[in-house]
Amino acid sequence: LIPDLRITRLEGYSYCGDNATKWAQFAGDPNYNLLNECCQHINSDNPPAIGWTKISQKSMNYMFAEGRADFVRFWSLLADAVREHPSAF
């Protein structure tokens, strides 16, 4: 693993660390990343370590190749569903 991509080295990770109870707060809520205090501390500057994983890169490759139609359909449905949600503005 590339040292700079270790989530444990992210600014804000130590706030919750490996505390599964804190990470579980608001699990399943559509606003999980906005409500969960652990996410709030990590997401502040959109660090690359939460997006540069092998699985996320494979997902991106798929979505922009053979999965493109499904990708577009998903985001169209999502946009329709959240159009009136306050966080969409």
Side-chain angles (χ1 to χ4, degrees), residues 9-22:
R9 299 179 92 187
L10 289 179
E11 184 176 335
Y13 180 81
S14 62
Y15 183 81
C16 289
D18 293 331
N19 186 328
T21 303
K22 282 188 176 183

Side-chain angles (χ1 to χ4, degrees), residues 8-71:
T8 56
R9 299 179 92 187
L10 289 179
E11 184 176 335
Y13 180 81
S14 62
Y15 183 81
C16 289
D18 293 331
N19 186 328
T21 303
K22 282 188 176 183
W23 282 104
Q25 291 173 341
F26 302 101
D29 189 296
N31 292 317
Y32 171 79
N33 65 317
L34 300 173
L35 299 173
N36 181 276
E37 61 184 322
C38 304
C39 292
Q40 292 170 0
H41 282 84
I42 285 183
N43 290 342
S44 61
D45 63 351
N46 199 19
I50 60 175
W52 289 352
T53 61
K54 287 182 180 179
I55 189 68
S56 65
Q57 292 304 304
K58 285 182 178 183
S59 297
M60 293 300 288
N61 289 343
Y62 174 79
M63 288 187 297
F64 289 106
E66 65 267 19
R68 183 170 174 76
D70 294 331
F71 175 72

